[in-house]
Amino acid sequence: MSANSRRLLILAEGFSGDPHWAKTMNGVLRYGADDVVAILDSTRAGERERDVPIVGDVESSLRFAPEAALVGVATVGGRFPPAWRELLRECIRNGIGIDNGLHEFIEDDVELAPLAAASGAILRDLRRPPTDLDVATGANLEVPGDIVLTVGSDCAIGKMTVSLELAREAQSHGISARFVPTGQTGIAIAGWGISVDAVVADFIAGAAERLVVEGGRRGGDLLLVEGQGSISHPGYSGVTLGLIHGSAPHAFVLCHMAGATEIDGYPGHPLLPLAELVDLHERVSLPCRRAAVACIALNTRNLDDLGARAAIAAAEAETGLVADDPVRFGSRRLLDALLEHLERR
């Protein structure tokens, strides 16, 4: 851990065993810089997750001396479950700050803010957007280096993970790569960013532009922008299009959950074939900087190794592009395909 890392308690009450709802917890455990000392989930007290002890209540966490508590779940509508109010109060009374990534802000909560002022606990709403956002200006086209945006056939299938894995792989080969966070989990991992799903619709592209400008300022020759939503999603397509036009990528990496056939949570809404998704993203890219899909990143967690290999081969046959699962099999093939594509443009 770095010298600036904090001792972190992750709040995951009732959700720590669910890979979908606990995606913030899992992302920080895998990629975060802070020292996670405990996870709170009374339904799994006494167990361990990635060798981190799970406790049943705030009092039990105090022996680990946490300095901050991260809300490690993504709930429907971004609201706190009613039972969580007491968890938050207990943390704050004990001087433990709260890093909150839900849409329900706590910094100005009429009950929690005074408690924090009294105890010295620091409240941070990771999804709160800057107050000075505006529309895109064209500065996205002046960013030095290459910009790559992960896009997907659906939500919550690993776009952030693919961006992080590609950034790590590039860095391991001496490339100055930066992960550009666009959601609450990415912000919790990287320590900076804007959660674009909390931005006024008119300013999403402007927020994305600001992020790639900042990524370039931070020294990234290769910017891996975390994707959000899906351009064909019935509920979350707007944020995706804003990211596409605001980040002005030179290339896309298309992410897909192997074996999925419908939009998750929307029965009767079929997923488009991969070849159609490749074409769709290329057609909606910013007209003054047309981007193409460079490779396909598959999430094969629901398949065995044989099934995963077969799904990768099928994706390559359908699209004519390199496909792989960067978590299961490593990111080298995807990075090589991406770099080759960027060199050809």
Side-chain angles (χ1 to χ4, degrees):
M1 297 295 172
S2 72
N4 296 322
S5 68
R6 300 169 301 166
R7 298 178 62 80
L8 198 65
L9 168 68
I10 296 183
L11 304 179
E13 175 62 22
F15 294 99
S16 67
D18 188 314
H20 180 77
W21 299 112
K23 66 179 185 178
T24 298
M25 179 194 81
N26 290 322
V28 170
L29 285 174
R30 187 179 182 96
Y31 301 106
D34 286 322
D35 183 9
V36 179
V37 296
I39 297 165
L40 193 153
D41 184 351
S42 63
T43 68
R44 296 181 62 201
E47 299 180 30
R48 300 181 80 86
E49 183 73 35
R50 290 183 178 268
D51 206 35
V52 176
I54 300 177
V55 299
D57 51 44
V58 174
E59 183 178 358
S60 299
S61 77
L62 298 181
R63 69 181 186 271
F64 300 104
E67 298 169 292
L70 170 71
V71 176
V73 303
T75 61
V76 175
R79 299 286 178 182
F80 286 104
W84 277 54
R85 295 288 299 186
E86 182 56 28
L87 290 180
L88 300 177
R89 285 192 290 264
E90 280 299 300
C91 285
I92 294 168
R93 288 191 190 109
N94 283 282
I96 302 171
I98 307 291
D99 287 0
N100 165 43
L102 299 184
H103 281 298
E104 186 177 354
F105 294 159
I106 61 172
E107 290 178 38
D108 45 11
D109 184 279
V110 295
E111 177 190 18
L112 300 180
L115 280 177
S119 71
I122 297 173
L123 306 183
R124 292 202 309 154
D125 288 313
L126 304 182
R127 256 187 171 130
R128 188 187 293 274
T131 58
D132 61 343
L133 290 174
D134 207 333
V135 298
T137 65
N140 45 13
L141 301 173
E142 304 300 322
V143 174
D146 293 309
I147 302 169
V148 177
L149 175 65
T150 50
V151 292
S153 59
D154 201 352
C155 300
I157 57 173
K159 294 182 288 293
M160 180 195 74
T161 297
V162 171
S163 298
L164 284 161
E165 289 289 340
L166 286 171
R168 277 186 171 183
E169 183 71 22
Q171 289 163 2
S172 74
H173 292 282
I175 299 170
S176 177
R178 290 281 179 180
F179 166 68
V180 178
T182 66
Q184 76 276 14
T185 304
I187 294 170
I189 291 168
W192 68 285
I194 300 172
S195 187
V196 293
D197 66 359
V199 170
V200 172
D202 275 356
F203 302 153
I204 293 173
E209 177 183 76
R210 180 177 296 191
L211 286 168
V212 293
V213 169
E214 174 65 14
R217 189 192 68 79
R218 288 171 178 260
D221 295 326
L222 177 64
L223 303 180
L224 282 307
V225 183
E226 173 193 8
Q228 299 291 335
S230 170
I231 196 65
S232 56
H233 197 284
Y236 303 121
S237 57
V239 68
T240 307
L241 188 60
L243 268 177
I244 290 172
H245 289 172
S247 64
H250 297 93
F252 299 114
V253 175
L254 177 61
C255 306
H256 175 63
M257 177 68 75
T261 59
E262 288 187 331
I263 298 287
D264 186 38
Y266 286 79
H269 289 260
L271 292 175
L272 294 177
L274 288 177
E276 289 189 31
L277 284 168
V278 168
D279 179 64
L280 177 60
H281 285 92
E282 293 177 355
R283 286 190 290 115
V284 301
S285 61
L286 195 65
C288 63
R289 178 181 283 167
R290 290 296 185 186
V293 175
C295 53
I296 310 293
L298 291 185
N299 183 332
T300 65
R301 71 180 183 216
N302 297 324
L303 305 174
D304 60 19
D305 276 0
L306 189 62
R309 296 289 188 189
I312 289 167
E316 291 187 335
E318 180 183 353
T319 64
L321 299 169
V322 171
D324 215 335
D325 183 332
V327 173
R328 192 172 202 158
F329 300 123
S331 304
R332 183 59 187 268
R333 292 182 67 242
L334 293 181
L335 179 65
D336 286 348
L338 177 60
L339 295 177
E340 182 181 346
H341 173 85
L342 292 171
E343 288 173 3
R344 291 198 309 263
R345 66 174 176 83

